[in-house]
Amino acid sequence: MDLQKPPPEPQYPEGCLAVAIRIPVRIVVLVLVLPVRMAWDALVVCGRFLTDTVLRPMGRALLWVGRAVFVWPWVALWRWVLVPVGKALGWLGHVLVVVPLRWLYTYVLTPVGHAVAWVARGIGACLEWLYARVLAPVGRGILWLLKGVGILLAAVGAGVYAAAAWLVRYLLVVPAAWLVQYLLVVPARWLYAWVLAPVGRALAWGAGAVVTGIGAVLYWTARILLVLPALALWRWVLAPVGRFLAVVAREVGEALGHAWRVAGRISRAVGRALGTLFRWIFVEPLRWVYRSVLTPVGHVVRDLVLRPVAEAARVVGRTARQALTTARDTVRQARADLRRMLFGEPRPPVAVDRREPAGRDTRTLGSSTTALTKD
């Protein structure tokens, strides 16, 4: 957290145009913005009141109704119908499908698959022996014979090709190359070096000079007819108009912000005045009536009516509970007497010797309470 104040923004000198525009624009903008700001604040207050008193409770009620209508029935259906039915179907599927399929796989398909695999391995071993002992040697012999025939044919073809190439080279190619060299290449080279090259250079220099002159003429024509007028228009017309419009737009924006803040303060003062007036006209009289009239009347009603009624209700309730207790005890006693009349007295429990002292005396070192130390 920086405890030092930030340096103030630099203040630039303003022109007389900005100062002359500022005050009228701010006054006009304040007059136009003040009703809009007050209407906006009134709408905000109404929206908050509606949100707190109507929309939020209505939304909660609609949410509860939506849950009660759409969510809870589906949850109950899922929890109490679909899940038990799904578990039952899963158990039936396990018993009727999975267990038979597992038995079929374990006791039928697995032995059959092992037998098929054993037969396939035997057939594969037979085919491997046949390939290694019969087909591979025969194939190697045929391949060796074909290689020998191919080498012989390749040697004969190479000899024939060499002889034909020697004859064609020394009987046709060499004389034809000598004739082309001295009848076409030497005259063409002389023609290019002493005729075509100087003529081409002269034509290229002339075309370059013509193009350079035409480019210079077009450049100065475009500069005088287009660039200089556009530059003068930008410098003496558009730039000053743009600066003026920028100053006006800046002042209008600052005036809008200032007017919005001032209108907010005025709207807040008006709202506080209306709130104070509403409190003194409605709230304070209602509060005085509640404190000075309704509260004493309520206390009197509570002390003279509600408390005696509550005490009487407690007494009546206590009496009713006592009567119900007495009636319950009477009914229990009558039921016991009737059982005794019909079935007789219940048998007393048989005493069992547990080798323990009958009284509640504590054990001491001098007393014997076990079978080993009993006298």
Side-chain angles (χ1 to χ4, degrees), residues 67-328:
R67 288 179 179 176
V69 174
F70 296 103
V71 178
W72 295 340
W74 293 106
V75 171
L77 179 64
W78 171 262
R79 183 174 297 174
W80 303 109
V81 178
L82 296 180
V83 172
V85 171
K87 290 182 179 178
L89 292 177
W91 181 79
L92 289 176
H94 179 76
V95 172
L96 298 178
V97 179
V98 177
V99 173
L101 289 178
R102 184 182 297 172
W103 181 87
L104 180 65
Y105 173 78
T106 304
Y107 295 102
V108 177
L109 296 180
T110 301
V112 172
H114 291 170
V116 172
W118 183 79
V119 172
R121 283 196 297 269
I123 295 173
C126 294
L127 292 177
E128 184 178 358
W129 181 85
L130 180 64
Y131 173 78
R133 302 297 180 183
V134 178
L135 297 179
V138 173
R140 292 191 188 97
I142 294 173
L143 182 63
W144 180 78
L145 181 61
L146 292 176
K147 283 184 179 180
V149 174
I151 291 171
L152 180 61
L153 293 177
V156 173
V160 173
Y161 175 77
W166 185 83
L167 291 175
V168 170
R169 180 178 181 183
Y170 287 99
L171 294 178
L172 296 176
V173 175
V174 173
W178 184 80
L179 291 174
V180 170
Q181 176 73 22
Y182 286 97
L183 294 178
L184 296 177
V185 176
V186 173
R189 186 180 296 174
W190 181 85
L191 180 64
Y192 174 78
W194 298 102
V195 178
L196 297 179
V199 173
R201 293 189 186 97
L203 292 176
W205 181 81
V210 172
V211 170
T212 302
I214 294 173
V217 171
L218 293 176
Y219 169 75
W220 284 106
T221 302
R223 182 178 178 84
I224 294 172
L225 296 179
L226 299 176
V227 177
L228 294 180
L231 184 62
L233 179 64
W234 170 261
R235 182 176 297 175
W236 302 108
V237 178
L238 297 180
V241 171
R243 294 191 189 97
F244 176 75
L245 293 177
V247 171
V248 172
R250 186 185 62 191
E251 293 299 329
V252 169
E254 293 180 356
L256 284 174
H258 182 72
W260 187 260
R261 292 190 295 271
V262 172
R265 294 182 180 179
I266 295 173
S267 176
R268 183 172 58 186
V270 172
R272 288 180 179 178
L274 293 177
T276 304
L277 184 62
F278 178 78
R279 186 176 70 249
W280 284 107
I281 292 175
F282 295 100
V283 177
E284 291 298 333
L286 292 176
R287 184 181 297 176
W288 179 84
V289 169
Y290 176 76
R291 289 181 179 179
S292 302
V293 179
L294 298 180
T295 301
V297 172
H299 291 171
V300 171
V301 171
R302 181 191 61 188
D303 296 335
L304 297 180
V305 178
L306 298 180
R307 284 183 178 177
V309 171
E311 186 65 27
R314 282 194 293 270
V315 172
V316 172
R318 192 180 303 114
T319 305
R321 285 193 298 272
Q322 291 177 358
L324 289 175
T325 303
T326 304
R328 191 183 301 111

Side-chain angles (χ1 to χ4, degrees), residues 13-56:
E14 298 180 349
C16 59
L17 180 61
V19 176
I21 291 175
R22 182 175 302 162
I23 301 301
V25 169
R26 288 192 177 185
I27 293 173
V28 173
V29 171
L30 178 61
V31 172
L32 296 176
V33 169
L34 181 59
V36 178
R37 181 59 187 266
M38 294 186 68
W40 174 258
D41 292 337
L43 290 176
V44 169
V45 172
C46 294
R48 290 178 180 175
F49 177 76
L50 289 177
T51 301
D52 296 335
T53 58
V54 178
L55 297 180
R56 187 175 290 116

